[in-house]
């Protein structure tokens, strides 16, 4: 994969992701909800690629679907809950074994303050949030624009294709947070290359 151009990697990536029919169906459903600046992000995306590499069922080890969006005009947590219920009910109806998590990244600084007592700068977009996640494999999102799958991968796709976990060092991340996430991934997936913090 390292010898392929980014455009070639994107083509392969979309081809693999498109094989996960359950995930694609959920993506289609969410795109019809017209969530602003939305992505299905993180685990369900890169783990689909890992499963393809390992020749496993594409949903193997995928615990949840992280849905993010950005709406600075509505910071009410009840809006997240409304979308959570809609998407969860859809998945239940279709017998998809996904837990759903929905987050408006415009209110993430409020949530982190309330839950952990942590002060972070407000994000300015969903992309800004993804830039500041835990690891490079984690910082991936797919969305649908005019019927086409689009990828946001600020750190490229090499680490995903090579199953390499590499920390993203910024003030909202820490060795403790990173190590906890690495431990979880290593328990569920084989042959991961871990770059220590």
């Amino acid at each position: 994969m390292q010898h392929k151009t980014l455009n070639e990697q994107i083509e392969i990536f979309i081809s693999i992701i498109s094989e996960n029919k359950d995930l694609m169906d959920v993506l289609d459903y969410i795109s019809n909800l017209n969530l602003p600046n939305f992505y299905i992000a993180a685990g369900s995306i890169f783990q689909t690629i890992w499963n393809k590499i390992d020749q496993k069922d594409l949903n193997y080890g995928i615990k949840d679907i992280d849905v993010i969006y950005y709406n600075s005009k509505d910071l009410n947590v009840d809006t997240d809950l409304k979308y959570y219920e809609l998407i969860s009910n859809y998945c239940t109806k279709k017998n998809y074994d996904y837990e759903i998590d929905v987050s408006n990244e415009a209110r993430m600084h409020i949530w982190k303050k309330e839950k952990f007592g942590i002060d972070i700068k407000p994000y300015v977009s969903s992309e800004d949030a993804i830039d500041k996640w835990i690891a490079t494999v984690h910082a991936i999102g797919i969305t649908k624009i005019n019927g086409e799958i689009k990828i946001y991968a600020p750190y490229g796709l090499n680490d995903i294709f090579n199953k390499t976990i590499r920390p993203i060092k910024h003030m909202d991340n820490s060795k403790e947070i990173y190590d906890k996430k690495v431990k979880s991934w290593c328990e569920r997936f084989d042959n991961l290359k871990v770059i220590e913090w």
Side-chain angles (χ1 to χ4, degrees):
M1 272 312 162
Q2 284 165 322
H3 302 297
K4 295 193 180 296
T5 66
L6 181 59
N7 284 340
E8 287 171 333
Q9 286 186 339
I10 289 170
E11 199 175 306
I12 293 164
F13 188 98
I14 291 175
S15 170
I16 294 171
I17 281 290
S18 298
E19 289 180 38
N20 190 334
K21 299 304 181 190
D22 296 354
L23 192 61
M24 291 301 96
D25 186 44
V26 176
L27 178 66
D28 285 340
Y29 177 76
I30 295 168
S31 66
N32 288 327
L33 295 176
N34 295 316
L35 279 163
N37 194 200
F38 94 89
Y39 290 90
I40 291 179
S44 61
I45 308 305
F46 70 83
Q47 289 166 17
T48 293
I49 305 298
W50 288 357
N51 287 331
K52 179 70 172 181
I53 292 167
D54 292 343
Q55 298 181 319
K56 293 180 176 173
D57 182 282
L58 293 181
N59 283 302
Y60 173 82
I62 295 176
K63 297 190 297 186
D64 54 22
I65 291 181
D66 293 300
V67 180
I68 68 167
Y69 69 102
Y70 190 89
N71 185 355
S72 58
K73 295 187 175 89
D74 181 1
L75 300 180
N76 191 330
V77 70
D78 289 340
T79 305
D80 286 3
L81 293 172
K82 179 187 82 172
Y83 287 123
Y84 162 80
E85 286 179 10
L86 284 170
I87 300 164
S88 292
N89 289 341
Y90 181 79
C91 288
T92 299
K93 189 174 76 175
K94 299 295 290 262
N95 291 318
Y96 297 150
D97 194 22
Y98 296 131
E99 292 175 27
I100 301 299
D101 186 54
V102 179
S103 302
N104 179 1
E105 296 300 319
R107 70 177 306 280
M108 194 50 59
H109 62 290
I110 299 169
W111 180 80
K112 287 205 173 184
K113 181 71 174 174
E114 289 172 350
K115 189 166 177 74
F116 302 111
I118 297 171
D119 285 307
I120 67 166
K121 284 185 180 176
Y123 297 136
V124 298
S125 64
S126 291
E127 292 83 3
D128 184 33
I130 291 172
D131 291 348
K132 297 178 179 74
W133 282 356
I134 297 169
T136 51
V137 294
H138 198 226
I140 181 74
I142 63 169
T143 190
K144 219 160 192 190
I145 299 171
N146 298 325
E148 279 190 39
I149 297 171
K150 300 291 182 186
I151 298 172
Y152 183 69
Y155 304 98
L157 299 171
N158 276 337
D159 283 351
I160 294 176
F161 281 123
N162 294 319
K163 297 179 71 179
T164 299
I165 306 176
R166 186 186 313 274
I168 304 170
K169 294 192 176 181
H170 55 85
M171 63 186 299
D172 304 338
N173 201 4
S174 69
K175 184 180 187 301
E176 182 185 13
I177 293 168
Y178 177 71
D179 288 348
K180 184 178 178 185
K181 188 62 82 170
V182 167
K183 183 174 183 287
S184 170
W185 289 329
C186 287
E187 285 169 356
R188 286 180 288 144
F189 296 93
D190 301 323
N191 305 315
L192 301 180
K193 304 174 193 78
V194 177
I195 308 297
E196 298 297 333
W197 180 274

